[in-house]
Amino acid sequence: MMGRRTRSSLLLTFTLIVSFSSLTCPSFSASTDAFVFGGCTQQKYVHDSPFESNLNSLLTSLVNSATYSSYNKYTIMGSSPQDVVYGLYQCRGDLSMPDCATCVARAVSQLSVLCAQTCGGALQLQGCYVKYDNTTFLGVEDKTVVLKKCGPSVGYKTDAMNLRDAVLGGMARTGGAYRVGGSGDVQGVAQCVGDLSAGECQDCLSEAIMRLRSDCGTADYGDMFLAKCYARYTTGGPRAYTKSHSDKSTNDGEKTFAIIIGLLAGVALLIIFLIFLRKVFGGNGK
């Protein structure tokens, strides 16, 4: 029914969808369900198959679990290896349980549309991350760059860059899966997915912070999302997170998702129309 997919297929889809969202400015205090990035595997499953039933069970478990835990992972076994599905969710470390539950429910709902009938998918919102696949990824460290965004350069301002480097350095040295830092107008946040060990989390965040510092240079903000962790900073201070800025980020994220769904719907309608024409002309040719 289903062949194993390669990592490249997921990353290719990530690249396509992230290209739409690259216009969205970061805001740590933006609506928790604002779109950041998403991607799907190219491999499809058969409708009404055991895999689809297991996937629905997995997604329901993720939503239910998010009402009492900020992270969880599941493996839904099947009668054959092809029917097994793996999944997890991770909420941002500062979210309350009600906000976590709302974010995961929204992510699962969007993922079901974005990655309809695909064997793997992932979605990052501002407040949470959800991923499922038919190939196990649970407990596997992965430092592949999924999304990198750097703001415009502010030039090398010694004081600002020193503060930025100090905040990033502090987060790199701080323990824990969720880390925040701030000094003056500089704010930073970093987090690992909960299935990593403490050592793997440290390794992943060190990589993300190193790449963020080197790749974004003198940018006024930067986001570095690896497959199992992320690090972000802004030099805008509290002024960057006013309600007007937050609303803009939320609206941009919703517009991004609407564009993606519109494109998918358009492709589906085109396919249905072509099948209809084929049946009409095929019938006339008999």
Side-chain angles (χ1 to χ4, degrees):
M1 177 180 71
M2 298 176 294
R4 294 297 185 187
R5 64 102 176 95
T6 62
R7 180 186 298 173
S8 60
S9 65
L10 179 59
L11 294 180
L12 283 173
T13 312
F14 271 142
T15 302
L16 173 65
I17 298 176
V18 166
S19 65
F20 288 107
S21 65
S22 61
L23 297 178
T24 304
C25 296
S27 171
F28 305 156
S29 65
S31 173
T32 56
D33 56 12
F35 181 88
V36 178
F37 68 80
C40 321
T41 60
Q42 296 177 351
Q43 185 184 357
K44 300 284 188 176
Y45 60 79
V46 177
H47 183 56
D48 286 334
S49 64
F51 181 86
E52 182 178 29
S53 176
N54 288 344
L55 176 59
N56 290 336
S57 296
L58 171 77
L59 297 178
T60 299
S61 296
L62 297 183
V63 172
N64 291 339
S65 178
T67 61
Y68 59 84
S69 178
S70 61
Y71 159 77
N72 216 335
K73 62 181 179 180
Y74 291 91
T75 299
I76 306 298
M77 304 301 295
S79 57
S80 70
Q82 293 179 323
D83 299 328
V84 180
V85 59
Y86 309 87
L88 60 74
Y89 71 90
Q90 172 83 67
C91 287
R92 202 174 65 207
D94 62 336
L95 292 193
S96 65
M97 290 316 308
D99 287 343
C100 176
T102 299
C103 186
V104 172
R106 180 69 179 271
V108 167
S109 176
Q110 293 186 8
L111 193 58
S112 298
V113 177
L114 181 66
C115 298
Q117 213 168 324
T118 64
C119 295
L123 183 66
Q124 176 75 59
L125 303 182
Q126 287 284 357
C128 61
Y129 175 69
V130 173
K131 180 176 180 179
Y132 73 88
D133 209 331
N134 66 332
T135 301
T136 184
F137 61 92
L138 302 176
V140 178
E141 184 180 7
D142 187 351
K143 296 184 287 186
T144 304
V145 176
V146 179
L147 171 66
K148 178 186 76 174
K149 292 197 295 184
C150 302
S153 174
V154 295
Y156 194 85
K157 298 179 180 179
T158 303
D159 291 343
M161 290 300 101
N162 286 344
L163 282 177
R164 190 277 308 269
D165 290 345
V167 169
L168 293 180
M171 291 196 303
R173 294 187 297 271
T174 303
Y178 177 69
R179 310 176 185 187
V180 294
S183 180
D185 284 343
V186 180
Q187 297 180 18
V189 61
Q191 187 169 17
C192 293
V193 177
D195 63 331
L196 296 185
S197 68
E200 291 169 337
C201 175
Q202 180 62 41
D203 184 48
C204 189
L205 286 180
S206 295
E207 177 77 10
I209 290 170
M210 179 195 70
R211 286 179 174 270
L212 189 58
R213 179 183 291 154
S214 62
D215 291 6
C216 288
T218 59
D220 64 351
Y221 69 81
D223 295 343
M224 184 65 65
F225 284 85
L226 307 186
K228 283 296 182 79
C229 68
Y230 67 82
R232 314 174 78 181
Y233 79 87
T234 175
T235 62
R239 292 184 301 277
Y241 309 128
T242 61
K243 187 176 186 300
S244 60
H245 184 277
S246 174
D247 288 345
K248 179 182 185 302
S249 181
T250 303
N251 292 337
D252 285 348
E254 291 174 350
K255 289 176 182 177
T256 296
F257 187 70
I259 290 172
I260 295 169
I261 298 305
L263 289 173
L264 293 175
V267 171
L269 289 173
L270 178 60
I271 293 173
I272 294 171
F273 181 66
L274 291 175
I275 293 174
F276 173 75
L277 289 179
R278 183 178 178 181
K279 287 183 178 180
V280 170
F281 288 104
N284 291 339
K286 290 181 180 180

